[in-house]
Amino acid sequence: MADTATTASAAASAANAATDAPPFQLGKPRFQQTSFYGRFRHFLDIIDPRTLFVTERRLREAVQLLEDYKHGTLRPGVTNEQLWSAQKIKQAILHPDTNEKIFMPFRMSGYIPFGTPIVVGLLLPNQTLASTVFWQWLNQSHNACVNYANRNATKPSPASKFIQGYLGAVISAVSIAVGLNVLVQKANKFTPATRLLVQRFVPFPAVGPAGDGTDSSGPAYAHPGASPDCHVHAGEVECCGLHSGACWIMHHGKLWTALLQARPRLLLPVQSLVCLAAFGLALPLAISLFPQMSEIETSQLEPEIARATSSRTVVYNKGL
């Protein structure tokens, strides 16, 4: 029996060496979070859309594998790569607090495939008042649902707080977008090309302020309390980078492609593909700017939070 166990252990070690995967750590990121590149690879795993197609059976196997590891009953021959893959699947599908499945469109792995059509809609030219309102409402609704589905569920938050944040985000986004569109239409000094360029960037200021307010439930912050200021502090740069990048690529992609002028029917499909590529790259780049766990001085927090601790700084989880 001892020889068999030794052989199995040696085989597992050889397999782990062959896969070149780091030693598995339950609940920890696979890649180092102290560098931008490590965070970038980590978030590429989080938004990997392939996890949307994981079967129920594969999910159960992944959960069971992690349970076996946790209780020290792991079967011989399981590699670090298999354990990392199992954890990736579980984290992509199940809520970490409730252990319940997250509805597919609201998973982080579904953010790009389900969010890209909305971004394309926001950047469509010649928007009417109705279409502007619709796409801004849909964008804020999707963001709110993603934030709520991935919220910190360890401490309950009243539904009224979520509804209040959602309505505030929708109203501010729609008001800014409609106001800027009207302003652009009345700007007679603009050439048609300049007006089109400005209109393409209208979704950016409309989405930016509203996006910071949609996470009404808030992520899991460290002691001594939950602080929305932490979320804004880490999220404002990410939001700006994500949406302005998409706007820039959409506009200049059209200018670069002379083919679209001769074949206008290809405009929407090509714009959608360009937007998908830009969105898929901009999202992990933007959310990798800051470490998941960061420090902030208590003087920058709300007074009630700052008074609850004698520390000069606190550690917070930036959330999504």
Side-chain angles (χ1 to χ4, degrees), residues 93 97 119 163 226 263:
I93 299 175
D97 298 331
V119 175
I163 296 174
R263 296 177 174 83

Side-chain angles (χ1 to χ4, degrees), residues 115-310:
T116 297
I118 299 176
V119 175
V120 173
L122 286 168
L123 301 178
L124 288 175
N126 304 318
Q127 296 265 12
T128 64
L129 177 61
S131 65
T132 298
V133 171
F134 170 76
W135 288 113
Q136 289 292 339
W137 165 79
L138 186 60
N139 180 60
Q140 293 305 324
S141 298
H142 180 250
N143 288 340
C145 288
V146 170
N147 286 327
Y148 183 78
N150 295 276
R151 73 195 184 283
N152 172 20
T154 57
K155 58 176 194 174
S157 181
S160 58
K161 188 176 181 181
F162 171 76
I163 296 174
Q164 181 180 5
Y166 166 68
L167 291 177
V170 171
I171 292 173
S172 63
V174 170
S175 300
I176 293 173
V178 171
L180 289 176
N181 269 320
V182 171
L183 183 64
V184 170
Q185 292 296 336
K186 291 184 177 180
N188 296 326
K189 295 182 180 180
F190 286 168
T191 65
T194 302
R195 185 178 290 110
L196 177 61
L197 175 61
V198 174
Q199 283 179 324
R200 287 296 177 88
F201 280 87
V202 164
F204 166 57
V207 168
D212 290 337
T214 54
D215 194 3
S216 57
S217 299
Y221 297 99
H223 181 80
S227 170
D229 285 349
C230 291
H231 176 57
V232 174
H233 175 76
E236 57 189 1
V237 175
E238 296 173 356
C239 179
C240 292
L242 177 59
H243 289 282
S244 61
C247 290
W248 190 89
I249 292 293
M250 285 289 287
H251 176 72
H252 286 80
K254 177 185 176 183
L255 297 181
W256 291 337
T257 311
L259 177 65
L260 299 181
Q261 297 178 353
R263 296 177 174 83
R265 291 184 179 180
L266 294 178
L267 178 62
L268 184 58
V270 170
Q271 283 187 333
S272 300
L273 290 175
V274 171
C275 187
L276 176 62
F279 198 41
L281 180 62
L283 178 62
L285 284 174
I287 59 181
S288 299
L289 292 176
F290 295 96
Q292 191 70 23
M293 304 301 296
S294 300
E295 282 190 349
I296 186 171
E297 293 187 2
T298 53
S299 59
Q300 299 182 43
L301 302 178
E302 296 86 342
E304 62 272 18
I305 301 295
R307 288 194 299 266
T309 179
S310 58

